[in-house]
Amino acid sequence: MGVYYMNGYGVEPDESAAYKCFLKATEKGDIMATDALATCCFNGYGVEKNLSDAYKYYTIAAERGYTKSQVTIGNMYSKGTGVERDSEKAYYWYNLAAEQGEPSALYRVAEYYSAQDSLGGKKALKKSSAFDYYKRAAEGGNAQAQLYLSRCYQTGRYVKKNKKEAFQWALRAADGGLVQAQEYVANCYLKGRGVSKNPFFAYEWYKKAAAQGSKVATERTTEYETFRQFVY
């Protein structure tokens, strides 16, 4: 019922009522309600904002294996939000969620390995560690990981350069709404990089990027529209 009050599904939106519902469900052991209760405390939905209580409830859910809460605690430690910043504890919680295949956690662990690779850290057990996690995250639908994988294939980091693979992963990230990926896909279609040239597709992707505030894409769409370089 808390979700209905929070989102106004069939009832008037009421954050206070939602909070009370989540609290009751939490007392009965509902793990999703516990995460929702933590989110209320974190953001001040229906109750005074309290990061300590948010951390407490997120921890309860996380320790019971709820990946969403595990990632959130990882974020709190990573950013120093409500707790002292601690990269090792952030890694610990991200890794727990990653072990269950959570894409956003896999991406965070990949970033950790990537940093260790660059620094020659103790957790960089093999050079492919970061790439393996990025790939799993990308295959799970994480757009940031998909874009990073594209860049690996563009630059030859961890893998051999491959323009087609770079384009395909960027396309998936672009479909996920990442403006940097949309710009790259548009440029690939414009120049025939990893895909056949297609000015019309390039224009369409530049428009999508421009709609998200990309200055480069806005300039390109304006330029092409002015000189009528596209045939519809």
Side-chain angles (χ1 to χ4, degrees), residues 152-153 156-162:
C152 285
Y153 281 111
R157 186 178 190 188
Y158 301 122
V159 292
K160 291 183 179 180
K161 290 183 179 181
N162 188 317

Side-chain angles (χ1 to χ4, degrees), residues 23-24 100 113 116 175 190-191 207:
L23 180 58
K24 288 182 179 179
Q100 297 188 65
Y113 272 99
Q116 292 292 324
D175 284 332
L190 184 66
K191 298 181 179 180
K207 281 204 303 183

Side-chain angles (χ1 to χ4, degrees), residues 124-187:
L125 302 180
K126 56 180 181 178
K127 290 185 176 180
S128 61
S129 294
F131 182 80
D132 290 342
Y133 277 96
Y134 278 123
K135 188 173 183 180
R136 288 172 61 193
E139 290 172 342
N142 184 277
Q144 290 285 356
Q146 291 166 348
L147 179 58
Y148 188 89
L149 218 60
S150 171
R151 288 171 175 166
C152 285
Y153 281 111
Q154 292 172 43
T155 63
R157 186 178 190 188
Y158 301 122
V159 292
K160 291 183 179 180
K161 290 183 179 181
N162 188 317
K163 293 180 180 179
K164 289 184 178 180
E165 285 289 335
F167 171 78
Q168 289 299 328
W169 283 111
L171 181 61
R172 292 174 69 171
D175 284 332
L178 286 189
V179 65
Q180 304 99 315
Q182 293 171 346
E183 291 173 346
Y184 180 77
V185 167
N187 198 44

Side-chain angles (χ1 to χ4, degrees), residues 7 32-33 37 51 73 79 115 131 137 147 150 158 162 199 214 217 231:
N7 297 289
M32 293 180 67
L37 182 65
L51 295 181
I73 294 177
K79 300 175 182 178
F131 182 80
L147 179 58
S150 171
Y158 301 122
N162 188 317
S214 167
V231 177

Side-chain angles (χ1 to χ4, degrees), residues 46 49-50 53 64 84 119 140 148 157:
K49 183 174 180 177
N50 188 318
D53 282 349
R64 291 181 59 193
E84 186 175 348
L119 298 173
Y148 188 89
R157 186 178 190 188

Side-chain angles (χ1 to χ4, degrees), residues 78-148:
S78 179
K79 300 175 182 178
T81 305
V83 294
E84 186 175 348
R85 190 171 184 177
D86 190 321
S87 62
E88 289 294 322
K89 288 182 179 179
Y91 170 81
Y92 169 79
W93 287 107
Y94 287 143
N95 194 52
L96 284 181
E99 288 176 349
Q100 297 188 65
E102 168 57 42
S104 62
L106 287 164
Y107 174 72
R108 294 302 183 186
V109 172
E111 287 191 311
Y112 187 88
Y113 272 99
S114 182
Q116 292 292 324
D117 284 345
S118 298
L119 298 173
K122 61 182 180 180
K123 285 191 172 60
L125 302 180
K126 56 180 181 178
K127 290 185 176 180
S128 61
S129 294
F131 182 80
D132 290 342
Y133 277 96
Y134 278 123
K135 188 173 183 180
R136 288 172 61 193
E139 290 172 342
N142 184 277
Q144 290 285 356
Q146 291 166 348
L147 179 58
Y148 188 89

